[in-house]
Amino acid sequence: MEKAKIDRINELARRAREGALTAEELEEQKALRREYLAAFRASLRGTLEHTVIERPDGTREKLVPKEKKEEKKS
């Protein structure tokens, strides 16, 4: 996510703590938060897909997110 959008999220959060936001600003804040969370989840998912667990016996197992395990069972 772009730095400018994160700065805008923070600015709206500060303004919300200081006083009320307009309806337009509330909608903008919701949209920016949704976009931020989607980017965060995608980044975390990418990290987890490339994580490997090394067991005490030396075997290595790829860490697969829960959704992918369920897809493989089907």
Side-chain angles (χ1 to χ4, degrees), residues 6-16 21 25:
I6 293 172
D7 291 342
R8 181 66 177 154
I9 291 170
N10 291 331
E11 178 186 342
L12 290 171
R14 273 191 298 277
R15 290 188 58 205
L21 295 176
E25 289 173 327

Side-chain angles (χ1 to χ4, degrees), residues 2-68:
E2 300 167 13
K3 174 84 168 111
K5 288 184 178 183
I6 293 172
D7 291 342
R8 181 66 177 154
I9 291 170
N10 291 331
E11 178 186 342
L12 290 171
R14 273 191 298 277
R15 290 188 58 205
R17 281 191 297 269
E18 294 170 357
L21 295 176
T22 65
E24 190 176 279
E25 289 173 327
L26 285 172
E27 287 302 314
E28 179 185 6
Q29 185 181 40
K30 285 180 187 178
L32 287 169
R33 284 180 175 174
R34 277 193 302 268
E35 186 178 341
Y36 175 80
L37 285 174
F40 176 83
R41 288 178 179 136
S43 174
L44 180 60
R45 194 173 299 117
T47 300
L48 292 176
E49 287 175 353
H50 293 92
T51 301
V52 177
I53 298 173
E54 188 169 341
R55 304 285 180 196
D57 64 357
T59 59
R60 294 170 58 102
E61 178 183 340
K62 208 169 185 190
L63 183 62
V64 181
K66 198 174 200 177
E67 300 88 18
K68 294 221 176 195

